[in-house]
Amino acid sequence: MCWDDLLLLLPAAPYRLVAFPFAALFHHLCASGHLSLTARYMFLLAGGCLLAATAMGSYAVLLLIPAAGSVLVLLSVSPAHVHTWVFALQMSWQTLCHLGLSSQELDPQDARPTITLSAIMLLTQKATSLGLDIHEGVVPLQLGQGLLQHALPLCSYLLFFPALLGGPLCSFSRFRAQAESLGALPCQLRAAGQRCLSALALQGLRAGLAGGLAGRQGCAGLGCLPCLWARALLLRLAYYMHWVLDEALLEVAGFGPEEGQGDLSLHDLWTLETTHRLAVFARTWNKSTARWLKRLIFQRCPAQPLLATFAFSAWWHGLRPGQIFGFLCWAVMVEADYRIHPFLSARATSQGMKLFYRGTTWVFTQLIVAYILTAVETENFSMLYLLWTSCNSILPLSYGLVLLLLLLAKMPKQN
């Protein structure tokens, strides 16, 4: 079932599976009244440190340093400036880690650097989200109860083991409320089991698709488009499995996301695979990260918020050539989507034309998404150049050209 290939794409998956019994034990101890609130925070924090040491080895220090630094900033800087300081600390450290690890000749079979970078990226999400909550007054910090008692929930939130290696992002307020009420809530074993079965079904589908692609390595001209789409679908299925397992682990521990606030529901999966709008795909893909980017960048950027959001996403992901090109291409494609679809839908008046319009734009959306995902996963300039000069670039270039024409058509004529 291509498990070796799966572990290359999801290197943290075995550690998530190992964490399941500890998550169930944590919830059982809470429900039976054996853990006070302070003990719950300590259990979650100790579990996070242990999981980090197990999954990352000596690289875990790269995660613990910014976590400790963020807590110090959160407790020492005024609410008016705390978000700026936390953002600067996290992104500076994360960028140094990305550049430092990518510049070294690491063993390709060693998954620890990849797991560490992913955990640091998730830590950045949580720290900056909490910084914004404090800045906006959503989470008031009152230090009268003692520094240690106040620092413990913050440390636990940043490093608690069910969300150390995966999302979705939850707010500090929800984390604290769930930690306080765990004894009164039943363990969501059935929901978690359903998610695990869904992950198994996704892997079976992925294995079947990979088997169908075996032996079809060569392609030429427009014949490469179906091959590109199929390989991008393999990537999407791997991401879907990643999100489903993450949410299952959180539910076992009692920290399941609110309805509609997770990264992937059945409705989201249907939307991602059937939408004919690139903008809808962008909002639905990795929903908690999309909401975080919207709050952190899009809503706070005075000019060109869409471009700024995708540019920051490329920075947050690591600034590799494929990521820079892929996310900037995604920004242009979404902007084109906003302008092309009103133009086309207004001219699709009959039922037949509407079906043709939706079917054609769905195919275009699928192929452009495949192009973007392939670009983002590209590691070096040479592979990116091959992608850029292939027939796969026809649709993105066409969308970009149509966007340019529509923008020129709306410009006021000069006398």
Side-chain angles (χ1 to χ4, degrees), residues 198-283:
S198 299
L200 189 61
L202 288 169
Q203 172 57 14
L205 180 61
R206 189 176 179 278
L209 180 60
L213 283 176
R216 298 185 181 181
Q217 301 296 330
C219 65
L222 295 177
C224 290
L225 290 175
C227 184
L228 180 78
W229 173 83
R231 297 190 183 284
L233 181 56
L234 287 175
L235 282 174
R236 294 207 301 275
L237 290 173
Y239 279 112
Y240 295 159
M241 287 185 59
H242 168 84
W243 297 331
V244 168
L245 285 176
D246 287 343
E247 294 189 21
L249 178 58
L250 284 169
E251 285 180 339
V252 169
F255 292 94
E258 293 179 281
E259 185 69 27
Q261 297 299 304
D263 281 332
L264 189 70
S265 65
L266 286 177
H267 180 265
D268 297 330
L269 182 59
W270 175 260
T271 299
L272 287 168
E273 295 304 322
T274 61
T275 183
H276 68 294
R277 297 290 306 271
L278 268 168
V280 173
F281 184 95
R283 288 193 297 268

Side-chain angles (χ1 to χ4, degrees), residues 6 18 61 80-81 98 103 114 117 119 124 207 225 234 246 257 259 271 307 345 381 384 409:
L6 177 64
V18 170
V61 176
H81 302 98
H98 271 295
S103 64
T114 302
L117 288 174
T124 298
L225 290 175
L234 287 175
D246 287 343
E259 185 69 27
T271 299
L307 180 60
S345 60
F381 279 108
L384 189 62

Side-chain angles (χ1 to χ4, degrees), residues 71-82:
V71 171
L72 289 175
V73 170
L74 291 167
L75 294 176
S76 59
V77 178
S78 67
H81 302 98
V82 66

